[in-house]
Amino acid sequence: MPMPMTEPTDDRDLVITRHIDVTPNALFRCWTEPALLQQWFVPKPWTIATAEVDLRVGGSNLIVMKSPEGEEMPNRGVYLDIVQDRKIVFTDAYIHAWTPSEKPFMTGIITFEPEDGGTCYTARVRHWTKTDRDAHEQMGFHEGWNQCADQLAALAATL
Amino acid sequence: MPMPMTEPTDDRDLVITRHIDVTPNALFRCWTEPALLQQWFVPKPWTIATAEVDLRVGGSNLIVMKSPEGEEMPNRGVYLDIVQDRKIVFTDAYIHAWTPSEKPFMTGIITFEPEDGGTCYTARVRHWTKTDRDAHEQMGFHEGWNQCADQLAALAATL
């Protein structure tokens, strides 16, 4: 049964969704090719110092975010599901297959659905607790993910 | 790089390992066929009231344990990796793909390695915290999993 993807189905979810006037493939590439990912994956003026992607179920990623002051924040995760041009699922509950992380915080379910010649882009972020969901929202989830979606759309339009 | 499987590599792990004089296939079947799983997966005199297995990466399982007094304890999990006759990885961090459970407690990595005409059977159980690992040990992990391994070996020998 396909899960409806435009509204939170769980009070532990945070979701952004929007139409982007590029192909699903362009967005999928921006999410999965390190050289592209580095250009949009953190709200500017932060930057991505390192992006490593092993794009397969059980593959790991490492994304090191860098603050304007030069502080680096590494983020590790593992891919749980990959459907070419349609879907990416990953979690920070593991640092690689299958070693638990220090703190299972979130699972990202990113979908790229063809829509009116472009793409309905949805980022659903699930948390294990409502407390973590609320903390993520307070940390600026909506502002951050929307700014990144703007950067993503602008980059994808150049491909 | 293959992970050594006979010792804990992390102080959040619990591990049992033993030689069992049956084929890897017989043990793999006992782990994955509901009618077999029901016969050994909980220390007697507990029983398994229900066993449902959707054996694929991202597939769910539901195992309902039943106490001698008739109390039922449902356990839900998701398979993260399956290698026919060699390996099963599952976690209770999700109740199905990819909905977080109430509490991510453990990840099971079960391996069946051919050894001297039988199988080196290893169950490595990883936890997100040392506290959970210690609680699991206190709950009788070694006694329970070893009794189940006895039951598993006896059943597999009849196949």
Side-chain angles (χ1 to χ4, degrees):
Chain A
M1 189 177 67
M3 180 172 55
M5 290 303 293
T6 50
E7 292 297 326
T9 51
D10 190 303
D11 67 2
R12 299 173 299 171
D13 289 1
L14 291 166
V15 183
I16 66 162
T17 189
R18 62 166 71 179
H19 180 87
I20 301 180
D21 203 17
V22 300
T23 61
N25 174 256
L27 296 174
F28 186 87
R29 287 185 56 201
C30 290
W31 260 93
T32 56
E33 297 181 16
L36 297 174
L37 192 70
Q38 283 188 282
Q39 298 178 53
W40 72 270
F41 197 70
V42 72
K44 291 172 182 163
W46 282 60
T47 55
I48 303 291
T50 305
E52 295 173 9
V53 170
D54 181 9
L55 190 69
R56 58 189 173 85
V57 172
S60 312
N61 58 41
L62 167 63
I63 297 172
V64 181
M65 301 179 178
K66 192 172 179 179
S67 77
E69 294 75 34
E71 188 192 3
E72 298 198 346
M73 275 184 53
N75 289 269
R76 289 177 189 279
V78 168
Y79 295 106
L80 297 173
D81 194 15
I82 305 284
V83 182
Q84 175 74 35
D85 294 347
R86 289 295 178 272
K87 191 178 192 177
I88 300 164
V89 183
F90 62 94
T91 183
D92 63 5
Y94 298 96
I95 56 170
H96 53 252
W98 296 100
T99 300
S101 62
E102 288 301 308
K103 160 76 177 168
F105 181 69
M106 58 170 269
T107 302
I109 303 176
I110 314 302
T111 55
F112 314 97
E113 296 172 55
E115 178 183 73
D116 300 336
T119 303
C120 176
Y121 170 68
T122 303
R124 171 181 301 273
V125 178
R126 319 195 103 159
H127 305 80
W128 273 275
T129 66
K130 177 113 175 31
T131 302
D132 283 347
R133 180 258 179 228
D134 292 347
H136 203 175
E137 189 171 45
Q138 288 290 317
M139 283 159 59
F141 171 84
H142 285 102
E143 298 81 352
W145 281 70
N146 274 307
Q147 185 181 334
C148 285
D150 292 343
Q151 296 171 181
L152 167 65
L155 176 63
T158 68
L159 298 181
Chain B
M1 188 176 67
M3 178 171 57
M5 292 304 292
T6 48
E7 292 297 325
T9 52
D10 190 304
D11 67 2
R12 300 173 298 171
D13 288 0
L14 291 167
V15 183
I16 66 162
T17 189
R18 62 166 72 180
H19 180 87
I20 300 180
D21 203 17
V22 301
T23 62
N25 174 256
L27 296 174
F28 186 87
R29 287 184 56 201
C30 289
W31 260 93
T32 57
E33 296 182 17
L36 297 174
L37 193 69
Q38 282 187 283
Q39 298 178 52
W40 72 270
F41 197 69
V42 72
K44 291 170 182 167
W46 282 59
T47 55
I48 304 289
T50 305
E52 295 173 10
V53 170
D54 181 8
L55 191 69
R56 58 188 173 87
V57 172
S60 311
N61 59 40
L62 167 64
I63 296 171
V64 181
M65 300 179 178
K66 192 172 178 177
S67 77
E69 295 76 32
E71 188 193 2
E72 298 199 347
M73 274 185 52
N75 289 270
R76 289 177 189 279
V78 169
Y79 295 106
L80 297 173
D81 193 15
I82 304 285
V83 181
Q84 175 74 37
D85 293 348
R86 288 295 179 270
K87 190 178 193 179
I88 300 167
V89 183
F90 61 94
T91 182
D92 64 4
Y94 298 96
I95 56 170
H96 53 252
W98 296 101
T99 299
S101 62
E102 290 300 309
K103 160 77 178 168
F105 181 69
M106 59 170 268
T107 302
I109 303 176
I110 313 303
T111 54
F112 315 97
E113 297 171 56
E115 178 183 74
D116 300 334
T119 303
C120 176
Y121 170 68
T122 303
R124 171 181 300 273
V125 179
R126 319 195 103 160
H127 305 79
W128 273 275
T129 64
K130 176 110 173 34
T131 302
D132 284 347
R133 178 257 181 230
D134 292 347
H136 203 175
E137 188 170 46
Q138 287 292 317
M139 283 159 58
F141 172 85
H142 286 101
E143 299 79 354
W145 281 69
N146 275 306
Q147 186 180 334
C148 284
D150 292 343
Q151 296 171 181
L152 167 64
L155 176 63
T158 68
L159 298 182

